[in-house]
């Protein structure tokens, strides 16, 4: 037991000591809580800033990337001129930008170019495999061969728009006309039994086009890839979007605004259902569609995308939000109470406004067929031929060449590169010889020759009429129509359109030559004298000139002297 003496020596804490100790502990505890709370706020705001930046950047990069692709390979044939199986190829009615609105846009491009495996099948299968370079086999075949190369599928017609978290505000519609679900919008080809069809109206409902009802979800809308229906496929890209805006310019530097867009927003955005508003119709293939011409002016696009935090901060005021909007789900809060992240860029679609070139063939063309050869020109021969059949084993020609030779085994000399025409007038050097002819069809993979035809004499059998001076113009000393330089005399005349004697014959294929006889004039001889009687003397001057085969001629005499009267004879 503790002794009495020991107990009396023990001392405890006084009340004052306890109060002081408690006060110190409370101060330390409160300070720790304040530091923790501050750290937690900094961490939370940092995480929110990271989230909104990441979310906004993902959305921005997706829209930006697709805008830069606008027009890529959308019409690889450009404006085709050719035929297959009796069907005339038509210019595709597709647009590179189908809808141009201030808060939404629709564009098309060959987005799946690198994913294809090829080659294209020749019939529509139950499951049609993708073709090489992203070609759309089912859509090529559905056009009946009128569009031989289709690279933009329905799922590559891409629209970007916003949907508000407040579904009652999603009352807007994005409308545009397109050749969907299959490819049937082409000029009627009665001979081939084909019937053209005007473009179909595509309507994307349930969007908000106002930017006034945040927060939004950014959607990427495409169409079902099949050819049986027009079904909108909705893919969410990012949540927490404050606003999205597109501004359009007529120059690549973003200086000249597209003012026509602001003047007629309803027509340009495709809001009207009128057939005449924004629709291609093969019944009037050459009709001017004004709103499409407006979209064709677009050279650059400024994209502005603003993201916002997931939740508000009542103590925060966003300094850049000049027009705060009420935020759905947060009573009393406006967009100004949300931290925001803004991204902006000027996009110049490199392929927009450019028609493509047809993809190189992977098989050689078939042989063309010579149908007519006409001779009797002055050192020329006129040839016509049919294009080869284009099918699974024969590619499309990219060029025709005329080969000549003086024996059937030496038809190897290239006489003319005829391009993609089906007739040509071939110059020949020896007017006393007989020639054999071959037409070669060429593409990037190979070539094939027609059968050899000949021999045919090219000896001249005609004499042209004199040139026509009924519309002649002589100007000098800086005169007009068109102006001649001082110290020059300019003389113009028209080539004759008939022969004075002789006739051209077509020993192969019969009939009449389709070429006009102006083509047979090999050379003009112009003589100049200083007296009206045209006495030939030492002052007489002779000029020679190679003719233009179709139009009139122009000769400028730069050897004249001032104050001298000259007379000319052609």
């Amino acid at each position: 037991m503790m002794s009495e003496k020991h107990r009396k020596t023990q001392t405890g804490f006084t009340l004052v000591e306890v109060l002081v100790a408690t006060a110190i502990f409370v101060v330390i505890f409160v300070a720790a809580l304040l530091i923790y709370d501050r750290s937690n706020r900094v961490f939370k705001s940092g995480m929110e800033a990271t989230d909104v930046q990441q979310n906004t950047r993902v959305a921005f990069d997706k829209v930006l990337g697709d805008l830069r692709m606008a027009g890529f390979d959308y019409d690889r044939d450009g404006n085709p001129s050719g035929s297959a199986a009796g069907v005339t190829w038509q210019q595709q009615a597709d647009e590179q930008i189908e809808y141009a609105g201030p808060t939404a846009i629709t564009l098309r491009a060959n987005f799946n170019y690198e994913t294809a495996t090829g080659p294209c099948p020749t019939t529509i299968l139950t499951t049609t495999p993708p073709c090489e370079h992203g070609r759309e086999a089912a859509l090529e075949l559905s056009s009946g061969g009128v569009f031989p190369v289709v690279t933009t599928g329905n799922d590559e017609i891409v629209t970007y728009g916003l949907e508000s978290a407040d579904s009652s505000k999603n009352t807007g519609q994005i409308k545009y006309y397109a050749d969907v679900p299959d490819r049937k919008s082409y000029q009627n080809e009665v001979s081939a039994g084909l019937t053209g069809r005007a473009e179909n109206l595509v309507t994307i409902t349930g969007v908000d086009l106002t930017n006034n009802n945040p927060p939004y979800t950014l959607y990427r809308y495409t169409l079902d890839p099949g050819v049986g229906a027009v079904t909108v496929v909705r893919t969410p890209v990012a949540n927490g979007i404050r606003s999205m805006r597109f501004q359009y310019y007529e120059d690549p530097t973003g200086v000249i605004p597209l003012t026509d867009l602001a003047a007629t927003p309803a027509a340009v955005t495709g809001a009207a259902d009128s057939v005449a508003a924004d629709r291609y119709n093969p019944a009037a293939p050459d009709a001017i569609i004004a709103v499409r011409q407006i979209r064709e002016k677009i050279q650059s696009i400024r994209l502005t995308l603003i993201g916002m935090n997931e939740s508000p901060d009542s103590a925060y005021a966003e300094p850049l939000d000049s027009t705060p909007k009420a935020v759905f789900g947060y009573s009393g809060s406006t967009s100004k109470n949300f931290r925001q992240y803004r991204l902006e860029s000027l996009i110049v679609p490199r392929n927009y406004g450019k028609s493509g070139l047809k993809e190189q063939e992977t098989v050689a063309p078939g042989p063309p067929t010579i149908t007519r050869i006409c001779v009797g020109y002055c050192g020329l021969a006129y040839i016509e031929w049919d294009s080869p059949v284009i099918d699974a084993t024969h590619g499309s020609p990219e060029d025709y060449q005329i080969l000549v030779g003086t024996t059937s085994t030496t038809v190897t000399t290239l006489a003319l590169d005829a391009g993609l025409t089906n007739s040509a007038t071939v110059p020949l050097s020896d007017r006393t010889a007989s020639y054999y002819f071959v037409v070669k069809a060429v593409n990037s993979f190979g070539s094939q020759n027609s059968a050899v035809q000949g021999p045919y004499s090219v000896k001249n059998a005609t004499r042209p009429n004199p040139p026509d001076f009924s519309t002649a113009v002589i100007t000098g000393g800086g005169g007009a129509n068109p102006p001649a330089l001082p110290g020059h005399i300019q003389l113009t005349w028209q080539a004759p359109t008939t022969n004075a004697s002789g006739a051209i014959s077509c020993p192969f294929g019969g009939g009449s030559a389709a070429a006009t006889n102006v083509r047979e004039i090999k050379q003009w001889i112009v003589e100049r004298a200083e007296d009206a009687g045209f006495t030939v003397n030492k002052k007489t001057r002779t000029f020679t000139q190679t003719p233009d085969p179709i139009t009139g001629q122009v000769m400028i005499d730069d050897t004249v002297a001032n104050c001298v009267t000259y007379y000319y004879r052609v």
Side-chain angles (χ1 to χ4, degrees):
M1 292 181 63
M2 183 179 296
S3 66
E4 183 70 20
K5 181 179 179 181
H6 186 71
R7 281 199 304 270
K8 290 181 178 180
T9 60
Q10 297 298 310
T11 60
F13 294 104
T14 66
L15 179 60
V16 174
E17 291 175 328
V18 171
L19 290 176
V20 171
T22 302
I24 294 173
F25 175 76
V26 169
V27 169
I28 295 173
F29 183 72
V30 170
L33 287 178
L34 290 174
I35 293 173
Y36 173 78
D37 181 65
R38 179 61 179 169
S39 300
N40 190 51
R41 285 174 177 270
V42 172
F43 177 78
K44 181 175 180 293
S45 63
M47 289 298 296
E48 289 178 345
T50 300
D51 289 343
V52 71
Q53 289 181 26
Q54 181 67 13
N55 184 65
T56 308
R57 187 167 293 281
V58 167
F60 184 79
D61 287 347
K62 183 62 178 174
V63 181
L64 186 71
D66 283 355
L67 283 175
R68 285 174 174 165
M69 287 282 288
F72 170 65
D73 206 29
Y74 90 107
D75 185 4
R76 189 178 300 173
D77 278 335
N79 193 354
S81 177
S83 63
V87 182
T88 301
W89 295 355
Q90 300 294 332
Q91 168 70 7
Q92 296 180 36
D94 302 330
E95 288 186 280
Q96 300 168 48
I97 294 183
E98 298 278 6
Y99 175 100
T103 61
I105 192 169
T106 301
L107 55 98
R108 69 170 69 219
N110 187 6
F111 291 105
N112 64 3
Y113 186 91
E114 297 294 344
T115 65
T117 57
C120 274
T122 56
T123 57
I124 298 179
L125 308 175
T126 304
T127 303
T128 303
C131 306
E132 70 276 6
H133 310 302
R135 287 172 60 187
E136 305 291 334
L139 298 180
E140 291 181 11
L141 295 170
S142 71
S143 77
V146 174
F147 302 144
V149 179
V150 178
T151 58
T152 303
N154 298 333
D155 55 343
E156 294 174 288
I157 305 174
V158 175
T159 301
Y160 281 100
L162 299 176
E163 295 187 19
S164 174
D166 183 358
S167 58
S168 66
K169 304 296 184 182
N170 296 324
T171 58
Q173 296 181 340
I174 300 171
K175 295 183 178 183
Y176 61 90
Y177 289 98
D179 190 12
V180 292
D182 48 10
R183 296 297 188 266
K184 294 292 185 182
S185 294
Y186 48 83
Q187 190 172 349
N188 293 347
E189 290 292 328
V190 179
S191 61
L194 302 175
T195 303
R197 180 201 66 202
E199 288 182 315
N200 284 322
L201 177 65
V202 178
T203 303
I204 302 174
T205 60
V207 296
D208 186 345
L209 301 174
T210 67
N211 273 340
N212 291 335
N213 302 292
Y216 289 103
T217 298
L218 172 65
Y219 274 85
R220 187 179 192 264
Y221 307 96
T222 58
L223 305 180
D224 187 279
V227 297
V230 181
T231 304
V232 177
V233 179
R234 316 169 86 95
T235 304
V237 177
N239 296 319
I241 302 299
R242 163 65 177 85
S243 65
M244 179 172 64
R245 183 168 181 79
F246 300 96
Q247 295 169 282
Y248 305 93
Y249 299 91
E250 294 187 32
D251 67 304
T253 59
V255 173
I256 306 173
L258 181 60
T259 55
D260 293 351
L261 189 68
T264 55
V268 174
T269 59
D273 289 332
S274 169
V275 171
D278 199 5
R279 188 181 198 183
Y280 173 81
N281 191 333
D286 299 323
I288 296 175
I289 305 176
V291 289
R292 292 194 173 194
Q293 291 184 333
I294 292 175
R295 284 195 291 269
E296 288 174 359
K297 296 180 182 179
I298 298 172
Q299 294 296 313
S300 60
I301 305 169
R302 187 177 301 280
L303 166 64
T304 304
L305 188 69
I306 301 177
M308 59 190 299
N309 275 359
E310 184 178 352
S311 57
D313 185 345
S314 58
Y316 176 78
E318 172 59 44
L320 299 179
D321 196 340
S322 58
T323 55
K325 303 295 179 182
V327 178
F328 176 74
Y330 294 96
S331 178
S333 294
T334 68
S335 57
K336 205 169 184 67
N337 300 126
F338 291 74
R339 288 180 174 83
Q340 299 175 21
Y341 185 63
R342 176 191 181 105
L343 289 172
E344 183 176 303
S345 180
L346 182 71
I347 303 104
V348 183
R350 299 300 181 188
N351 297 283
Y352 185 65
K354 299 178 181 177
S355 294
L357 297 176
K358 187 178 179 183
E359 185 67 20
Q360 291 185 347
E361 291 287 347
T362 56
V363 291
T369 303
I370 296 177
T371 57
R372 178 177 294 149
I373 297 177
C374 303
V375 293
Y377 293 96
C378 185
L380 303 172
Y382 174 74
I383 303 176
E384 294 179 0
W385 61 90
D386 286 340
S387 301
V389 174
I390 304 170
D391 54 28
T393 58
H394 297 98
S396 174
E398 297 171 357
D399 187 34
Y400 291 107
Q401 297 176 353
I402 313 299
L403 307 179
V404 299
T406 54
T407 68
S408 60
T409 58
T410 60
V411 188
T412 56
T413 302
L414 175 61
L416 183 72
D417 191 320
L420 274 175
T421 61
N422 286 85
S423 64
T425 305
V426 187
L428 301 166
S429 57
D430 188 351
R431 283 174 281 177
T432 63
S434 294
Y435 284 92
Y436 293 81
F437 300 93
V438 162
V439 177
K440 176 188 286 189
V442 182
N443 65 20
S444 54
F445 192 83
S447 63
Q448 284 205 54
N449 294 342
S450 69
V452 178
Q453 300 294 341
Y456 299 107
S457 172
V458 297
K459 185 175 181 179
N460 184 42
T462 65
R463 182 168 63 89
N465 274 314
D468 180 7
F469 276 88
S470 61
T471 59
V473 177
I474 301 177
T475 59
N481 191 27
L485 296 174
H488 294 62
I489 290 180
Q490 181 168 291
L491 177 68
T492 65
W493 65 91
Q494 296 293 320
T497 56
T498 57
N499 286 325
S501 62
I504 298 166
S505 63
C506 299
F508 180 78
S512 302
T516 58
N517 82 304
V518 232
R519 295 178 179 271
E520 69 167 308
I521 299 173
K522 297 287 288 183
Q523 191 177 63
W524 301 105
I525 299 176
V526 182
E527 296 177 333
R528 187 191 74 193
E530 296 181 12
D531 62 280
F534 220 93
T535 304
V536 178
N537 53 39
K538 64 179 181 178
K539 293 184 177 181
T540 303
R541 186 178 178 97
T542 302
F543 308 86
T544 60
Q545 184 167 315
T546 302
D548 184 300
I550 301 298
T551 63
Q553 304 299 308
V554 177
M555 190 203 77
I556 296 177
D557 184 0
D558 58 359
T559 63
V560 295
N562 289 330
C563 304
V564 177
T565 301
Y566 293 98
Y567 300 86
Y568 292 90
R569 178 171 60 195
V570 181

